[in-house]
Amino acid sequence: MTRPAASKQQRRTQEQRSSEMRTRLLDATIDCLVEYGYGGTTTPRVAERAGVTRGAQVHHFGSKTDLVVAAISHLAQLRAETAMREMPKVQAGADPVGVALEFLWELHQGPLFIATVELWVAGRTDPVLASAMEKVEPFVNNAVLMAVARFVPDEMRRKETRDFIYTAMDALRGILVSNFIDPDTARAHRRWRRASAHLRQVATAALAAQSLVDRTSVE
């Protein structure tokens, strides 16, 4: 009776080890994307960064494409988790639109966004990567919307508000991508604040118009 239980325990341990190995390789892939770019991310480099043998890497991911496609899903999960984890750290106040815009800025800082951009650009000429990214982006965007909903809960049910968040992210990502050429975080943040001022004008006008519609419908 003890042998089956011991065997079952051993299988679980092997599964855990396999899962941990895959995670190490995927984390190393993201690190390499940030440090070397997509073109410089090679399977030998990933194996070295993960501290595993090439044989172990090939056992889990037979090619660079297999590895990067898996890393896309792993990266999406990390991005979504970051959005939900960072949300409680931000205090909502009397200026929910401003808080939401600054939250988007903080959310797009760091290596996860850099790795994401590398994959977006690589997907332009690689249909396999493009397809993988297309599948996970809605999942990440939904996590961002859920996080922002904490600041403007009553408005997030409106399509106009969701569109506003998407427009804000488009503007922010453009600023950050252009900043890669001559990195200057302070300058990029100033450009984002300038863009935010215009976005706030749009949001204020839209909220006022919606308020008028709501009052009219009640009357």
Side-chain angles (χ1 to χ4, degrees), residues 116-135:
T116 300
V117 171
E118 287 291 333
L119 293 170
W120 283 342
V121 174
R124 186 183 72 83
T125 55
D126 189 323
V128 174
L129 297 186
S131 177
M133 291 296 288
E134 184 180 15
K135 291 176 182 177

Side-chain angles (χ1 to χ4, degrees), residues 14-24 60:
Q14 290 172 347
E15 290 170 1
Q16 290 170 350
R17 288 176 179 172
S18 178
S19 177
E20 290 170 0
M21 177 70 74
R22 288 176 61 88
T23 299
R24 284 169 60 186
H60 289 279

Side-chain angles (χ1 to χ4, degrees), residues 188-207:
H189 203 181
R190 288 195 301 271
R191 293 179 63 192
W192 171 237
R193 286 175 174 165
R194 182 181 64 197
S196 294
H198 293 287
L199 288 166
R200 287 164 65 89
Q201 292 176 5
V202 173
T204 300
L207 289 172

Side-chain angles (χ1 to χ4, degrees), residues 41-190:
T41 296
T42 63
T43 49
R45 272 180 170 164
V46 170
E48 181 180 6
R49 178 65 65 92
V52 305
T53 65
R54 285 280 287 121
Q57 176 260 304
V58 172
H59 173 74
H60 289 279
F61 303 102
S63 67
K64 176 179 176 178
T65 298
D66 294 337
L67 182 60
V68 174
V69 167
I72 287 173
S73 295
H74 183 60
L75 178 59
Q77 183 67 39
L78 293 175
R79 291 166 64 199
E81 289 174 355
T82 298
M84 302 309 294
R85 184 177 63 250
E86 293 299 314
M87 177 187 67
K89 299 179 181 179
V90 181
Q91 297 297 319
D95 180 21
V97 174
V99 171
L101 290 171
E102 196 61 19
F103 173 74
L104 289 178
W105 165 267
E106 294 297 336
L107 196 59
H108 283 75
Q109 303 307 301
L112 295 185
F113 177 69
I114 296 173
T116 300
V117 171
E118 287 291 333
L119 293 170
W120 283 342
V121 174
R124 186 183 72 83
T125 55
D126 189 323
V128 174
L129 297 186
S131 177
M133 291 296 288
E134 184 180 15
K135 291 176 182 177
V136 302
E137 284 304 303
F139 168 72
V140 178
N141 289 337
N142 186 59
V144 174
L145 290 175
M146 289 176 62
V148 172
R150 177 174 180 268
F151 312 121
V152 283
D154 295 335
E155 294 298 324
M156 287 308 295
R157 69 181 185 277
R158 305 183 194 277
K159 181 179 184 299
E160 293 82 0
T161 304
R162 297 193 297 273
D163 288 345
F164 173 80
I165 297 301
Y166 282 123
T167 299
M169 285 196 293
D170 289 341
L172 174 56
R173 290 168 177 176
I175 290 171
L176 293 176
V177 169
S178 66
N179 194 57
F180 288 162
I181 300 173
D182 183 17
D184 184 337
T185 302
R187 180 182 59 202
H189 203 181
R190 288 195 301 271

